[in-house]
Amino acid sequence: MGTTRLPRPAQTVLGPDKDTFLPTENPFEQMMSRFDEAARRLNLEPGLYRILRMPEKQIIVSIPVQCDNGEIEVYTGYRVIYNTSRGPAKGGIRFDLQVNLNEMQALAAWMTWKCAVVNLPFGGAKGGVICDPATMSNGEIERLTRRYTSAIIETLGPDSDVPAPDVNTNERVMAWVMDTYSMHKRHTVTAVVTGKPVAMGGSLGRREATGRGCMIVTREALRQLGRPLPGCRVVVQGFGNVGSVAADLMAKAGMTIVAVSDKSGGIHDPKGLDLTAVFAHVKERKLLKDFPDGHHVSNQELLTLDCEVLVPAALENVITHENADAIKAKVICEGANGPTTAAADRILNQKGVFVIPDILANAGGVTVSYFEWVQDRGGYFWDEETVNSRLEKIMVQSFEEVTAMARRHGVDNRIGAYMLAIDRVATVHRLRGMYA
Ligand code: GLU
């Protein structure tokens, strides 16, 4: 009342030009703004649109944990099942202070589109607990994992919902999830989680799969752009399971890694970093901080360094309308989920940057998770070469399908990937019909 204002569409903020509205950097809205555009271009029926814009099921649990000092701490955990029309829900569990319901919804939706882009018979889910595992002992993390697993046990199962590692979770955490679930079921159920240790039903090649997938699609993008790999300078943000493996495999493929970073900051050497020394340093000191060679740069500075390929492999919303214009990379390979905002996409498109969207770029992990689930259910395990060559085939084919879709509709690769995914999910909904 009183003041006259432009009508503000829901979930937007006034852009820097004070004239247009931008989606808020709330991850679900970021996802929805792309979903809306793809759905519109696909002429998705209004009813299906309404179904696909909502998660199927959302679970919020309180997780009491006895700390080592005897105190009881209560954590909040989530599991969001976005869509299961194509098969069991699939998606990681993260332990992080940034976890919240909105982020879980976005990540669960992204898992749905990701599994559909690479054509796996899975739906999408994501789980998480608000906590800082860096400040917790192994015993506390184990008790948290087991209590969280038992709190969401009704949703879990090889045919219903299959978790995997994500930010700050790993093989050991998956082993505890598998053991807790199996204890409740009174028999061993290996296929209830993926990303487990190889000794207990994990797959060879799973640990490297996301980074390997990033390397494969980057190679394909450079091939499409007619740029040879040798001499290609690569900047990687994030040195966890995705970034460190992507950097290693890209270097092995002939590219030059000029900068890497982790939460402690980045290191840059325009002539190329000695990755063996970087890995040795991280193994001993955990963080890149204090690495003796190269220049130290902040995570912000790192994104705008001179390079051909940028691999954001850390968290959401790092490439925004504020820094997109300063990005020099010709190719962005999104190792992380949701690293680029919708407003930044528009700027990158205008600059002609070739973006390999997250739901394609980092799909190598869930693809080998699928292989792991297949191997567990069949009780017969493949050698690493078989895993890697099957991964290669799926990534190359998906890259071709996404870029062909984008070309056919005159859209960017991200909208092309969403269109491919939404079309596949929608087709199954139509075939299955409405259960009333
Ligand atoms: N957390 C990974 C992702 O975001 C892997 C999920 C999975 O393997 O289920 O894709």
Side-chain angles (χ1 to χ4, degrees):
M1 309 258 165
T3 49
T4 344
R5 296 185 122 207
L6 292 168
R8 186 184 143 179
Q11 308 283 2
T12 54
V13 287
L14 199 55
D17 54 4
K18 306 279 180 268
D19 208 22
T20 46
F21 290 100
L22 301 172
T24 54
E25 280 167 22
N26 133 356
F28 192 72
E29 288 311 316
Q30 293 294 327
M31 187 287 295
M32 272 316 296
S33 70
R34 277 75 169 247
F35 173 85
D36 281 350
E37 182 172 352
R40 188 172 50 76
R41 287 180 183 271
L42 286 166
N43 280 323
L44 193 69
E45 309 87 296
L48 258 181
Y49 173 80
R50 271 178 231 126
I51 292 174
L52 295 182
R53 71 188 309 282
M54 302 288 284
E56 269 175 27
K57 192 195 282 186
Q58 308 183 67
I59 305 168
I60 306 178
V61 291
S62 297
I63 312 158
V65 174
Q66 180 142 38
C67 305
D68 292 345
N69 65 7
E71 299 270 322
I72 289 176
E73 192 71 65
V74 181
Y75 296 90
T76 303
Y78 304 92
R79 185 78 181 162
V80 173
I81 314 292
Y82 198 81
N83 187 285
T84 56
S85 56
R86 290 170 51 87
K90 190 80 193 76
I93 294 171
R94 61 173 62 179
F95 289 168
D96 195 66
L97 285 175
Q98 201 183 295
V99 163
N100 61 70
L101 183 59
N102 181 286
E103 181 199 44
M104 291 291 113
Q105 293 168 337
L107 289 160
W110 279 323
M111 284 309 304
T112 308
W113 316 136
K114 191 186 304 186
C115 290
V117 163
V118 283
N119 218 353
L120 308 180
F122 285 143
K126 201 71 150 204
V129 179
I130 308 170
C131 66
D132 181 7
T135 62
M136 297 166 72
S137 70
N138 280 341
E140 288 166 343
I141 297 173
E142 177 174 353
R143 291 193 287 281
L144 173 75
T145 304
R146 289 186 182 279
R147 188 69 191 246
Y148 168 69
T149 305
S150 89
I152 61 164
I153 204 139
E154 287 86 359
T155 173
L156 301 180
D159 291 316
S160 52
D161 182 9
V162 186
D166 200 85
V167 173
N168 296 331
T169 57
N170 53 20
E171 293 183 353
R172 193 176 47 182
V173 172
M174 294 309 113
W176 293 325
V177 173
M178 184 279 221
D179 181 68
T180 307
Y181 181 85
S182 298
M183 286 296 158
H184 279 257
K185 295 288 156 188
R186 319 298 296 162
H187 63 103
T188 295
V189 187
T190 52
V192 69
V193 282
T194 59
K196 303 177 291 293
V198 171
M200 53 182 283
S203 176
L204 292 168
R206 173 62 185 86
R207 201 183 304 156
E208 301 80 24
T210 314
R212 182 175 294 280
C214 288
M215 184 274 288
I216 295 169
V217 291
T218 301
R219 189 196 64 206
E220 292 304 298
L222 292 168
R223 197 203 307 269
Q224 218 175 71
L225 296 173
R227 284 179 174 261
L229 300 191
C232 246
R233 293 163 304 163
V234 183
V235 168
V236 182
Q237 183 182 63
F239 210 63
N241 183 42
V242 183
S244 68
V245 174
D248 186 37
L249 293 176
M250 286 182 188
K252 287 182 177 140
M255 300 184 230
T256 306
I257 313 301
V258 292
V260 293
S261 73
D262 63 16
K263 63 181 179 192
S264 73
I267 44 172
H268 176 218
D269 184 343
K271 294 192 299 299
L273 293 163
D274 174 357
L275 275 192
T276 315
V278 175
F279 278 109
H281 179 88
V282 171
K283 191 164 180 216
E284 198 193 310
R285 309 271 198 95
K286 300 250 182 308
L287 294 173
L288 289 165
K289 200 168 69 172
D290 305 328
F291 183 71
D293 305 323
H295 318 285
H296 286 258
V297 288
S298 70
N299 262 305
Q300 270 302 323
E301 289 161 341
L302 180 112
L303 294 169
T304 57
L305 289 173
D306 212 5
C307 63
E308 278 69 46
V309 177
L310 173 64
V311 186
L315 287 172
E316 295 101 87
N317 292 338
V318 293
I319 303 177
T320 67
H321 63 274
E322 280 165 5
N323 60 8
D325 200 36
I327 283 178
K328 301 190 186 65
K330 308 286 175 287
V331 173
I332 297 180
C333 171
E334 296 186 334
N337 291 310
T340 308
T341 66
D345 266 350
R346 284 193 280 279
I347 301 169
L348 296 173
N349 276 338
Q350 277 161 11
K351 283 164 61 88
V353 180
F354 190 106
V355 177
I356 314 170
D358 48 6
I359 55 175
L360 167 66
N362 69 40
V366 74
T367 300
V368 177
S369 276
Y370 164 59
F371 296 161
E372 179 173 333
W373 178 81
V374 168
Q375 292 170 80
D376 287 340
R377 288 163 72 104
Y380 180 74
F381 290 84
W382 316 344
D383 59 29
E384 195 161 352
E385 214 187 313
T386 305
V387 171
N388 289 345
S389 72
R390 288 179 176 172
L391 172 64
E392 162 89 24
K393 197 168 164 208
I394 290 184
M395 294 306 295
V396 170
Q397 182 171 334
S398 307
F399 178 89
E400 274 162 16
E401 286 173 338
V402 166
T403 51
M405 180 69 111
R407 274 196 303 277
R408 193 157 60 247
H409 291 270
V411 294
D412 63 33
N413 292 331
R414 188 183 317 279
I415 299 302
Y418 272 70
M419 288 175 75
L420 184 67
I422 294 168
D423 191 43
R424 284 181 175 157
V425 176
T427 299
V428 173
H429 273 270
R430 288 185 203 109
L431 289 167
R432 290 179 61 158
M434 262 307 272
Y435 175 73

